[in-house]
Amino acid sequence: VVNVSTTQIVETRGGGLDLDPGDPFQEWYQEFGDRGPDGDKPRKRRQNSLGSGFIIDASGYVVTNSHVVEQADKISVILADDTVHDAKLVGRDPRTDVALLKIDAKRDLPVVTWGDSDKMRVGDWAVAIGNPFGLGGTVTAGIISARSRDIDERIYDDFLQTDAAINRGNSGGPLFNTAGEVIGINTAIFSATGGSVGVGFASASNLVRPIVEDLRKYGRTRRGWIGVQYQSVNAEMAESLNLQAVRGALVSAVTPDGPAAKAGIQAGDVILSFDGNEITKMRRLPRMVAETDVDKVCELSIWRKGRAITANVKVGELEDVQPTPVVLTDGDLRRELPRVELVQLGITVSEITERVRRRFDIADGVVGLVVVEVDDDSNAADQGLRRGDVIDEIAQTPVSTVSDAQSALKSIGKDDRKAVLLRVQTGQNIRYVGVKPGE
């Protein structure tokens, strides 16, 4: 186990006084202040931070957290004998908060071994070793409090929760089982004070290990990708889709020309299984896809409009491209817009004109009805609908005019459904929402 020290050069500017030449405070301010009489000059200073890591190869490969070395200008690794070595960043993966470093110690180094995080049980003992508050070589013990914990940090969250004390500086250090094997990387804590309160999180070794291998081979992570956005299925959605149970992953959008689009997958489909693995929770699917070999053909079981079908998709490679978010303006969104109230849903909508498109900053090509008002006491408000959202489907029927919406709602009344499925776009994010109609 090693300590990881990083240095970052940051530029700061003073916000102090403008002093005239000859001012009696000039000499004092030049020595102690952030700026002198020459104006607001930038100053460079070193910002240091500490973390932890562990050696996985005798040649000097070191694993740590991505956030420990992010934006660092210099990275140093301090071994247990207090020798300091400059480290090279081989690669890092912000999606799982993993980084791989390389040092040249001119000798073989002792290494740790990986353990199987899937074998850990709640109540099993665990040991954390790291560099909390700069106190290197600190050992703390506890138990595994929970497995497969999702703390909504990243899409691939798979944390072991432990009550072994984890503090600032422990990030990137190993969590061991009682056999001395690494079962996780200490990554995050829940704390109102910044200190350990017995709720710490370590990224599971079975998630981290293939990431480290990719970083070592390619300097980046190769992840499977099928080109869909998906979301969880709740009770209201299951009711509106005639699903017998709350399960699967609902496809909210399909990337044009992506693997899923080529396989015929459509928005509104519910993926029930992927490559023979049942999807009991939506968050399992992104990790399954990511861990699948690129170019592998996988069979999907899909629920579409009340019946089960299958599709074969050839997995592509995920490119690390982040879309630019569309920001909604925060003006008076109600001002004299052509609108109509959909009483059953508790919302008021407007057809999209050029004026409406400019007012709500709706991208060209987006069609549907824009929400201009939401009843605070409605189920639509409970489900997170807000002004500026665009509804382009009601009950899996495309809508672009008020008459389209009213026709879709009439057909729902005949079916006596307890929930209405809406497809909603907020900026570039597309999701489905199940809304219970009002009286």
Side-chain angles (χ1 to χ4, degrees):
V1 181
V2 300
N3 300 337
V4 178
S5 173
T6 64
T7 302
Q8 181 184 359
I9 306 299
V10 296
E11 251 187 25
T12 60
R13 290 180 179 271
L17 305 173
D18 288 317
L19 301 179
D20 296 325
D23 189 289
F25 284 97
Q26 179 181 356
E27 184 177 344
W28 178 90
Y29 212 76
Q30 283 181 320
E31 183 174 357
F32 299 105
D34 283 333
R35 73 184 206 182
D38 295 330
D40 190 11
K41 288 185 176 180
R43 297 174 54 195
K44 293 184 178 180
R45 63 182 180 87
R46 295 179 183 273
Q47 183 172 290
N48 299 314
S49 62
L50 296 172
S52 306
F54 52 95
I55 304 170
I56 61 166
D57 187 279
S59 64
Y61 283 98
V62 176
V63 174
T64 187
N65 278 144
S66 174
H67 76 260
V68 169
V69 297
E70 185 179 10
Q71 297 181 343
D73 295 302
K74 182 180 180 181
I75 306 171
S76 300
V77 169
I78 302 100
L79 304 183
D81 60 4
D82 291 330
T83 56
V84 181
H85 299 273
D86 290 338
K88 172 188 174 184
L89 178 62
V90 178
R92 66 185 188 94
D93 179 46
R95 294 176 186 267
T96 53
D97 202 4
V98 175
L100 183 65
L101 311 177
K102 179 67 168 66
I103 62 173
D104 184 9
K106 310 296 185 184
R107 59 185 173 90
D108 286 347
L109 298 171
V111 300
V112 298
T113 56
W114 292 105
D116 186 349
S117 56
D118 289 342
K119 291 183 178 180
M120 298 304 295
R121 302 166 299 173
V122 173
D124 282 346
W125 284 97
V127 174
I129 302 180
N131 185 30
F133 307 113
L135 302 173
T138 296
V139 182
T140 55
I143 61 168
I144 299 298
S145 306
R147 294 181 48 194
S148 299
R149 184 68 83 193
D150 173 16
I151 61 174
D152 290 327
E153 282 291 309
R154 300 167 186 85
I155 192 172
Y156 303 115
D157 278 3
D158 185 10
F159 289 107
L160 295 173
Q161 183 180 326
T162 180
D163 65 352
I166 296 174
N167 289 285
R168 294 175 181 173
N170 273 112
S171 292
L175 185 70
F176 291 103
N177 60 17
T178 52
E181 300 166 330
V182 176
I183 53 168
I185 301 180
N186 301 320
T187 300
I189 62 172
F190 177 83
S191 173
T193 63
S196 175
V197 294
V199 184
F201 303 97
S203 297
S205 61
N206 286 3
L207 170 68
V208 170
R209 192 171 181 180
I211 301 297
V212 171
E213 292 302 316
D214 274 357
L215 293 177
R216 187 170 176 176
K217 289 180 181 178
Y218 311 111
R220 60 184 177 86
T221 305
R222 283 168 53 91
R223 283 194 174 89
W225 171 75
I226 59 174
V228 297
Q229 293 181 24
Y230 20 59
Q231 64 183 91
S232 299
V233 176
N234 58 27
E236 290 81 8
M237 294 176 185
E239 168 72 24
S240 64
L241 292 167
N242 292 324
L243 270 173
Q244 300 301 313
V246 178
R247 62 193 179 103
L250 177 62
V251 177
S252 56
V254 180
T255 303
D257 298 324
K262 293 176 181 178
I265 296 173
Q266 304 172 5
D269 289 346
V270 179
I271 301 175
L272 302 177
S273 71
F274 176 83
D275 199 23
N277 299 300
E278 185 179 358
I279 310 298
T280 54
K281 294 183 179 180
M282 183 277 291
R283 293 195 66 86
R284 290 192 62 196
L285 182 57
R287 182 176 169 185
M288 286 182 185
V289 174
E291 293 177 349
T292 303
D293 293 337
V294 176
D295 293 332
K296 181 179 180 181
V297 177
C298 299
E299 182 179 276
L300 277 65
S301 175
I302 294 170
W303 185 261
R304 177 183 294 170
K305 296 185 177 180
R307 64 188 185 94
I309 62 173
T310 59
N312 293 317
V313 60
K314 184 178 180 181
V315 177
E317 182 178 353
L318 176 66
E319 296 182 3
D320 194 14
V321 177
Q322 299 295 331
T324 303
V326 176
V327 180
L328 297 176
T329 58
D330 190 24
D332 181 6
L333 302 179
R334 298 199 206 169
R335 197 184 313 155
E336 297 179 6
L337 293 175
R339 53 187 177 171
V340 66
E341 184 178 4
L342 302 179
V343 181
Q344 305 98 312
L345 302 181
I347 59 176
T348 301
V349 297
S350 170
E351 295 181 6
I352 299 178
T353 64
E354 285 306 312
R355 178 170 169 241
V356 171
R357 194 178 296 277
R358 290 194 302 270
R359 178 70 60 82
F360 288 90
D361 201 9
I362 300 171
D364 293 338
V366 174
V367 296
L369 299 169
V370 64
V371 177
V372 296
E373 190 171 345
V374 181
D375 184 349
D376 291 338
D377 295 326
S378 67
N379 185 247
D382 295 338
Q383 298 299 326
L385 260 71
R386 62 180 184 177
R387 292 178 298 171
D389 287 343
V390 175
I391 300 172
D392 62 5
E393 282 186 13
I394 297 178
Q396 297 185 292
T397 300
V399 294
S400 58
T401 66
V402 171
S403 60
D404 290 341
Q406 291 170 334
S407 298
L409 290 173
K410 284 180 181 178
S411 65
I412 292 168
K414 297 176 182 178
D415 295 340
D416 194 28
R417 295 186 188 179
K418 296 180 181 178
V420 181
L421 192 67
L422 310 178
R423 195 170 98 126
V424 181
Q425 181 164 346
T426 305
Q428 292 185 346
N429 179 48
I430 300 174
R431 70 190 190 281
Y432 280 90
V433 176
V435 176
K436 295 180 180 178
E439 294 297 330

